Amino acid sequence: MAEDNSTQQPVRPVLLAALRQDQKQNLDYELEELENLALANRLEPVETFIQALERPNPATYFGKGKVEELRMAVQTYEADLIVTNDELSPSQIRNLEAATQATVVDRTSLILDIFAQRAQTKVAKLQVQLARLEYQLPRLRTSMSVSLDQQTGAGGAGFTSRGAGETKLEQSRRRLTSEMVAIKKELAALQKDASTQGKKRQESAIPTVALVGYTNAGKSTLMNQLLTRFGQGAESDSSKQVFEKDMLFATLNTTIRQLTLPDKSRFLLSDTVGFVSKLPHHLVAAFESTLQEAANADLLLQVVDVSDEHSQAMMTTTEETLARLGIKDKAMITVYNKADKAQMAYPVIDGEAAITISARDRQSQDDLLALVKKALFADRKEVTLTVPFADSAVVARLLDDHELISQKFDEKGTIVTLALSPDEVNRYQQYLQ
């Protein structure tokens, strides 16, 4: 298992603040998630403030009384940081900071910071940087509008007036825009290479399975357990596994590994970045290519932490995020994980599209793989081929890739019976009996 290379920093006290605008709003769930996001960023929530308002105050987001409470709490706890549950406008952040004498960070900024710390690959780092620039662009301070350069003549020195100089704000906007253009070009080149690799995988005829779901649902744990048993070298080489830790966004990178089952069935398994409610649209757009593995997969495994009381809301978050990415009508098996923590029976199969498991339980893994095989290889049919002795390489390839049902010989060659996909049946049409 890969090591945690996230930046370590001192724990910092923080105040959490949220508005309740709708009685139907699942605010308890959102605040629990916000607290976990803060902890993932090495922040220590010391108190949570909630205010019920029909609509946010356009100037300070919170009402005057709640702003005063926050100001006093900043002094009491010596906490110079406030994290809000919703994304605030630049002016709301500015006014709230002035009123409370504390730094104000909204949910979007917090998630972007976590992603910036955890990104390891070049593509992930560029995608996070692009998302942060898109977030920062409309939040550049209007106080930066002081003129940089008085480009006008003085005292008849021979300079004609060339108009007002470029302001700091304009220069900053131009610089950020230029950076975004450069990053998009670099990403396009890298994504072109990734697209080529993806096409090669699709042409290999090996089916693909993608793990999706809420962050910290156990996707990486499940992948590592399967890799240890059926991966190539992962049982003895931890670098071929994926990083796992009980925290939000433990890993941001999409990892793809091949699994070969005892019956020689093979498929590619990918572990994608986890979802979270109110995922910033900047990140949804930025990580669209990273999540392309899910879009191209033949089968999705939606991993759900069934021990969490908010598991249904987490499933809704996953399905909504997939829809935002245009991933619809895809074959999916719902994997209710962490049944041991929930003190539920496991493994329990519910039809062909749902199963309750504990990721570290071997029987759970076997039952899940049985469902996966049924979904991926349902179109295989048993056929008998007669392969001339001169084409012995064909027999060797078939036996490498398929479980042999029967084999015998006659004067025409080797007669083998095995299960093939429709594409393989067409490929070996000449040998069919």
Side-chain angles (χ1 to χ4, degrees):
M1 184 174 64
E3 294 182 0
D4 181 5
N5 295 320
S6 60
T7 302
Q8 294 296 310
Q9 57 189 20
V11 174
R12 182 180 180 186
V14 62
L15 304 174
L16 305 183
L19 280 189
R20 185 186 297 278
Q21 301 179 62
D22 186 345
Q23 291 302 317
K24 296 180 180 179
Q25 179 185 6
N26 198 347
L27 189 58
D28 291 341
Y29 162 56
E30 292 180 10
L31 286 174
E32 180 180 323
E33 182 180 86
L34 186 66
E35 180 177 350
N36 287 330
L37 287 169
L39 292 170
N41 209 11
R42 294 188 61 78
L43 301 174
E44 181 184 4
V46 292
E47 189 169 347
T48 300
F49 295 84
I50 302 173
Q51 183 174 31
L53 283 179
E54 289 187 7
R55 61 184 64 85
N57 184 308
T60 55
Y61 195 72
F62 299 101
K64 184 177 179 180
K66 191 60 63 176
V67 172
E68 177 61 19
E69 282 186 48
L70 287 168
R71 186 190 67 79
M72 294 177 64
V74 165
Q75 297 176 355
T76 301
Y77 292 104
E78 297 183 349
D80 62 348
L81 184 62
I82 299 171
V83 177
T84 64
N85 187 46
D86 295 310
E87 186 171 312
L88 306 189
S89 70
S91 62
Q92 287 172 332
I93 291 177
R94 191 163 55 249
N95 295 333
L96 198 52
E97 287 181 339
T100 61
Q101 295 300 298
T103 300
V104 176
V105 174
D106 61 22
R107 184 189 190 95
T108 298
S109 181
L110 183 64
I111 294 175
L112 287 171
D113 283 346
I114 295 172
F115 271 58
Q117 293 176 38
R118 306 282 167 75
Q120 295 181 18
T121 66
K122 187 172 184 179
V123 170
K125 289 178 180 178
L126 286 172
Q127 288 171 325
V128 171
Q129 180 62 11
L130 179 60
R132 296 186 85 174
L133 291 174
E134 289 175 339
Y135 174 79
Q136 291 170 6
L137 187 60
R139 288 169 171 76
L140 291 175
R141 302 283 181 159
T142 54
S143 59
M144 299 176 68
S145 60
V146 177
S147 179
L148 279 178
D149 182 19
Q150 298 297 327
Q151 298 178 4
T152 57
F159 291 95
T160 58
S161 174
R162 289 177 290 175
E166 183 180 42
T167 66
K168 288 185 179 180
L169 180 59
E170 290 167 344
Q171 185 188 60
S172 295
R173 282 177 176 161
R174 181 165 53 80
R175 177 178 56 79
L176 260 63
T177 301
S178 296
E179 285 185 44
M180 290 164 62
V181 170
I183 290 174
K184 287 178 180 178
K185 286 182 179 179
E186 191 171 359
L187 275 173
L190 292 171
Q191 288 164 1
K192 183 178 181 180
D193 293 339
S195 177
T196 300
Q197 294 173 2
K199 287 180 181 178
K200 288 181 179 178
R201 286 196 296 270
Q202 290 176 348
E203 291 170 359
S204 70
I206 300 178
T208 58
V209 178
L211 295 165
V212 298
Y214 194 86
T215 183
N216 206 31
K219 300 187 301 299
S220 297
T221 299
L222 178 59
M223 184 166 189
N224 282 335
Q225 292 296 314
L226 296 177
L227 281 174
T228 299
R229 295 181 62 191
F230 307 110
Q232 298 179 339
E235 71 284 353
S236 58
D237 185 355
S238 62
S239 68
K240 295 187 178 181
Q241 298 188 350
V242 295
F243 176 69
E244 59 179 90
K245 189 173 181 180
D246 186 16
M247 65 189 301
L248 299 191
F249 300 124
T251 179
L252 301 183
N253 305 320
T254 296
T255 304
I256 304 169
R257 296 287 187 270
Q258 178 176 304
L259 300 185
T260 302
L261 305 184
D263 66 356
K264 299 183 181 179
S265 297
R266 295 181 298 164
F267 63 89
L268 297 175
L269 182 64
S270 65
D271 178 28
T272 61
V273 62
F275 301 143
V276 68
S277 68
K278 296 186 177 181
L279 187 67
H281 70 276
H282 309 287
L283 280 178
V284 171
F287 275 80
E288 187 169 0
S289 62
T290 301
L291 292 167
Q292 200 60 38
E293 293 300 329
N296 294 334
D298 298 291
L299 175 68
L300 300 181
L301 299 183
Q302 181 185 180
V303 183
V304 181
D305 179 0
V306 73
S307 70
D308 194 296
E309 62 179 315
H310 304 299
S311 59
Q312 190 58 52
M314 293 175 177
M315 291 177 66
T316 300
T317 292
T318 298
E319 289 156 10
E320 288 177 348
T321 305
L322 289 172
R324 289 170 68 185
L325 291 166
I327 303 175
K328 300 178 181 178
D329 303 322
K330 180 78 66 175
M332 179 186 291
I333 295 174
T334 303
V335 182
Y336 296 101
N337 189 31
K338 303 187 183 182
D340 50 332
K341 288 182 63 176
Q343 298 184 328
M344 298 172 61
Y346 65 89
V348 176
I349 297 175
D350 183 9
E352 297 181 355
I355 182 171
T356 301
I357 70 164
S358 171
R360 301 183 188 278
D361 173 58
R362 184 166 288 227
Q363 188 59 53
S364 293
Q365 299 161 20
D366 290 341
D367 287 358
L368 172 59
L369 288 173
L371 288 181
V372 170
K373 285 173 58 179
K374 191 169 184 179
L376 291 180
F377 308 118
D379 60 351
R380 285 188 175 183
K381 66 177 183 178
E382 187 176 308
V383 297
T384 299
L385 307 176
T386 300
V387 184
F389 294 121
D391 293 343
S392 59
V394 172
V395 175
R397 185 164 61 248
L398 286 167
L399 296 185
D400 279 344
D401 295 343
H402 301 82
E403 184 176 23
L404 183 66
I405 297 174
S406 69
Q407 180 180 16
K408 59 184 179 179
F409 307 90
D410 66 9
E411 68 280 1
K412 294 180 181 179
T414 305
I415 303 172
V416 291
T417 300
L418 28 69
L420 301 182
S421 69
D423 287 342
E424 290 174 317
V425 170
N426 290 333
R427 189 184 313 158
Y428 299 111
Q429 186 74 35
Q430 67 191 89
Y431 304 118
L432 284 175
Q433 286 193 356

